[in-house]
Amino acid sequence: MRIAVVGGTGKEGRGMAARWARAGHDVFIGSREAERAAARAAGLQQEHPGLAGKLAGGDNVWAVQHSELVVLAVPYAAHTSTLESLKPVLGSRVLIDITVPLQPPQVTRVYLPAGQAAALEAQAILGSDAQVVAALHHVSAAHLRDLDHAIDCDVLACSDHAAALEQALRVIADLSVRAIDAGPLCNAVALESLTPVLLHLNRAHKGASVGIRITGL
Amino acid sequence: MRIAVVGGTGKEGRGMAARWARAGHDVFIGSREAERAAARAAGLQQEHPGLAGKLAGGDNVWAVQHSELVVLAVPYAAHTSTLESLKPVLGSRVLIDITVPLQPPQVTRVYLPAGQAAALEAQAILGSDAQVVAALHHVSAAHLRDLDHAIDCDVLACSDHAAALEQALRVIADLSVRAIDAGPLCNAVALESLTPVLLHLNRAHKGASVGIRITGL
């Protein structure tokens, strides 16, 4: 599949792009600065020779236009403006929104945005027909980046669009993690707000890089 | 320690009362109906002979007055009124609020109350000096009830009062679970809202009784 990672030059985007390319997907890294994205794509190819899929970089709209599925990986401060710029070109593509509404520097405290969750705000901005999925809030960038590292963390994903959620769960599983259907999009409140708790644990247990597992499944 | 379980005739209260009594705590089960609480205490003693601690039942205020630490285990619909009735007698006791703001019958969808979290509402009702801790939202009643069952679920607890949180973590560990400091009380939003997700998983995976684990600690 052709996957766009919008904001793909960030920490999270880096590991996801490489893992998906390893799994055979073609990955289009998007950035506000096309050259940074192109440099990141070239850098990842150098770092991981022999990836099964292609890696390329360009601006965010370019990345979406080349893709079948879009991952939104921008800081919350750029969330609304990025969505508005992508809205005209997104079409019926599935959008996996990994945004957590953090309020730096207080990233270890839950902050609820006006729309209760970034993903609910994305759905409101894009309209109710948009194929929004919220997921990938809990896997640390450090774990994603090390491609040989088995990730001891489940990925919870939620959406109001069943087919979109199914496609997202398949694509997420290609990161070599267990992907779990967490219900309707309003449950993004739970998924997003758990991240500050995990960041608190990382800080309290110096050097830790924690994750979550669902037990009893 | 003398522990009051307010609303202790409910599903969650049942297993906690028995586990704490087994660990040597004296447990005071509270209910709006004192007789139901007394009957539950007698029933648990019969079910689990030889518990190290005492079990007794009475009305909620009676239970609090006999205790050193209070666990609030009422349905969200009774949360505000119960707190208001306990406020005059609570004093400096630690209050562990296990309430999840569910909106039956839609218990598999996150519902955010006006105060963002039940525990934040409890703190507002009781005043900022009250020793409120939010915890125990994720351990299933079924797992708690079976005293010989090793519970494959961590307990996350948060509070704005450090000494209260420390005491709560020690008491929770006596349920034979791992108890983890999850940060300030505002993080109760994350803890409470995860419960509808777990209920969704229980429903989607028929007969499951899921929990969570923090990995990487």
Side-chain angles (χ1 to χ4, degrees):
Chain A
M1 180 171 282
R2 300 191 305 279
I3 301 173
V5 184
V6 170
T9 56
K11 277 191 302 177
E12 279 76 20
R14 183 196 193 95
M16 285 191 278
R19 281 177 178 258
W20 275 321
R22 182 180 61 174
H25 298 293
D26 292 335
V27 180
F28 299 84
I29 297 174
S31 169
R32 276 175 303 182
E33 301 164 59
E35 281 170 29
R36 274 190 71 200
R40 171 57 57 88
L44 284 176
Q45 273 167 327
Q46 219 166 6
E47 196 180 328
H48 307 286
L51 292 170
K54 279 180 253 176
L55 275 165
D59 66 50
N60 285 327
V61 165
W62 169 90
V64 170
Q65 286 173 325
H66 281 76
S67 76
E68 297 162 286
L69 177 146
V70 178
V71 176
L72 182 59
V74 296
Y76 181 64
H79 188 248
T80 298
S81 60
T82 304
L83 283 163
E84 278 163 356
S85 71
L86 299 183
K87 188 175 177 179
V89 293
L90 189 62
S92 61
R93 292 174 181 89
V94 170
L95 177 91
I96 302 179
D97 192 347
I98 77 164
T99 307
V100 174
L102 298 174
Q103 279 222 311
Q106 296 203 298
V107 298
T108 63
R109 300 174 68 92
V110 172
Y111 163 70
L112 282 177
Q116 299 198 343
L120 290 170
E121 293 179 335
Q123 187 79 73
I125 291 166
L126 298 172
S128 57
D129 286 345
Q131 306 292 299
V132 176
V133 177
L136 283 164
H137 313 91
H138 308 137
V139 180
S140 87
H143 290 321
L144 281 169
R145 186 172 173 174
D146 179 356
L147 267 56
D148 300 321
H149 183 85
I151 297 176
D152 192 10
C153 184
D154 292 332
V155 172
L156 298 167
C158 64
S159 177
D160 290 336
H161 300 272
L165 182 53
E166 216 173 282
Q167 190 181 62
L169 290 170
R170 279 198 304 271
V171 166
I172 292 166
D174 286 339
L175 295 170
S176 302
V177 292
R178 181 166 71 159
I180 298 173
D181 167 358
L185 194 68
C186 61
N187 288 355
V189 173
L191 276 44
E192 295 177 13
S193 65
L194 190 59
T195 299
V197 173
L198 301 183
L199 295 174
H200 165 83
L201 292 172
N202 284 347
R203 189 173 290 182
H205 302 260
K206 255 189 173 163
S209 191
V210 305
I212 63 152
R213 283 283 192 195
I214 300 296
T215 59
L217 271 185
Chain B
M1 181 171 282
R2 299 191 305 278
I3 302 173
V5 184
V6 170
T9 56
K11 277 190 302 178
E12 279 76 19
R14 183 196 193 95
M16 285 191 278
R19 281 177 178 256
W20 275 321
R22 182 179 62 174
H25 298 292
D26 292 336
V27 181
F28 298 85
I29 297 175
S31 169
R32 275 177 304 182
E33 300 164 59
E35 282 169 28
R36 276 189 71 199
R40 171 56 57 87
L44 284 176
Q45 274 167 326
Q46 219 165 6
E47 195 180 328
H48 307 287
L51 292 171
K54 279 180 252 175
L55 275 164
D59 66 49
N60 284 328
V61 165
W62 169 90
V64 170
Q65 286 172 325
H66 281 76
S67 76
E68 296 162 287
L69 176 145
V70 178
V71 176
L72 182 59
V74 297
Y76 181 63
H79 189 248
T80 298
S81 60
T82 304
L83 283 163
E84 278 163 356
S85 71
L86 299 183
K87 187 175 177 180
V89 294
L90 189 62
S92 61
R93 293 174 180 89
V94 169
L95 178 91
I96 302 179
D97 192 347
I98 77 164
T99 307
V100 175
L102 298 174
Q103 279 223 312
Q106 296 202 299
V107 299
T108 62
R109 300 174 68 92
V110 171
Y111 163 71
L112 282 177
Q116 299 198 342
L120 290 170
E121 293 179 334
Q123 187 78 72
I125 291 166
L126 298 172
S128 58
D129 287 344
Q131 305 293 300
V132 176
V133 177
L136 284 165
H137 313 90
H138 309 137
V139 179
S140 88
H143 290 321
L144 282 169
R145 186 171 172 174
D146 179 356
L147 267 57
D148 299 322
H149 183 85
I151 298 176
D152 192 9
C153 184
D154 292 332
V155 172
L156 298 168
C158 63
S159 177
D160 290 336
H161 300 272
L165 182 53
E166 216 174 283
Q167 190 180 63
L169 290 170
R170 279 197 305 270
V171 166
I172 291 165
D174 286 338
L175 295 170
S176 302
V177 292
R178 182 167 70 159
I180 298 173
D181 168 358
L185 194 68
C186 62
N187 289 355
V189 173
L191 276 44
E192 295 178 13
S193 65
L194 190 58
T195 300
V197 173
L198 301 183
L199 295 173
H200 166 84
L201 293 173
N202 284 347
R203 189 172 290 182
H205 302 260
K206 256 190 173 163
S209 190
V210 305
I212 63 153
R213 282 283 191 197
I214 300 297
T215 60
L217 272 185

